[in-house]
Amino acid sequence: QHAALAPTRPTRDTTGGHPRLCRIGCRNGIRKSCRADRTALNPVQGSRPVRHPPKPAILLDDGRLLAVDKPEGIPCIPDRRGTPGHLRQLLEQATGRRLFVVHRLDADTSGLVVFAQDAEMHRWLSLQFQEHRVRKEYTALVIGSPEPHEGTIDRPLRRFGSGRTAVDTSAGKPSVTLYRVTESLGRW
């Protein structure tokens, strides 16, 4: 599946009239140029670029449990429209086995995802998550530096119909987050 492509005309405006010369930068008043064919293929208006997310890596497959390093950009399960290409489907096609979803990560989040390969393992793993016996650890790159550099956030969270999650002191589920700044990158 590829987006429809259409050629564009060579550009002459900034290259002294030469259709195969393009400027690639200006540093300290010194201009650098290169020779290149300025005819490019651009998507036809209205078409969408084809997204090719990285492939998930199987870290453990013992016949009952499958642990996968999920890259960002891939949902764990189908969305409401049933869009193909979710993680479970990709793994079922790759392994030729039926997989049971134990937990999920957001599509924009990368990390370890565990799938059961039989109903008994699914029940056992689901119970571990339900009873909070699984330790989850996340690493995040954030703008700014939280103060204090270490602490606990103990606020109830609720998912709203829009998919947004926020603090809700009256109807939220208990949620405790321990955090610690491990590195500070100056202003960032």
Side-chain angles (χ1 to χ4, degrees), residues 61 88-99 117:
D61 181 354
R88 190 188 74 210
Q89 179 187 45
L90 295 172
L91 293 170
E92 285 178 342
Q93 289 171 349
T95 63
R97 289 175 279 184
R98 180 175 180 218
L99 299 175
Q117 296 187 51

Side-chain angles (χ1 to χ4, degrees), residues 69-153:
D69 183 7
K70 181 190 100 58
E72 65 177 285
I74 300 175
C76 286
I77 58 174
D79 60 17
R80 292 179 183 165
R81 294 179 306 275
T83 308
H86 55 86
L87 185 61
R88 190 188 74 210
Q89 179 187 45
L90 295 172
L91 293 170
E92 285 178 342
Q93 289 171 349
T95 63
R97 289 175 279 184
R98 180 175 180 218
L99 299 175
F100 298 81
V101 176
V102 175
H103 70 103
R104 301 179 303 246
L105 291 176
D106 291 342
D108 294 333
T109 303
S110 62
L112 184 72
V113 178
V114 177
F115 291 90
Q117 296 187 51
D118 61 55
E120 182 183 355
M121 179 59 79
H122 182 245
R123 277 190 299 279
W124 186 82
L125 287 170
S126 295
L127 188 62
Q128 303 308 301
F129 277 87
Q130 183 180 337
E131 294 179 351
H132 303 285
R133 293 182 182 167
V134 176
R135 179 173 178 236
K136 299 182 228 175
E137 189 171 300
Y138 297 88
T139 301
L141 179 62
V142 299
I143 295 175
S145 185
E147 288 293 337
H149 287 312
E150 191 168 336
T152 302
I153 302 169

Side-chain angles (χ1 to χ4, degrees), residues 5 36 43 55 90 98 142 176 181-182:
L5 301 174
K55 292 184 178 180
L90 295 172
R98 180 175 180 218
V142 299
V176 177
V181 175
T182 57

Side-chain angles (χ1 to χ4, degrees), residues 4-12 19 36-45:
L5 301 174
T8 60
R9 287 196 216 153
T11 306
R12 294 177 179 254
D37 188 352
R38 293 291 299 241
T39 302
L41 294 177
N42 290 335
V44 172
Q45 192 162 359

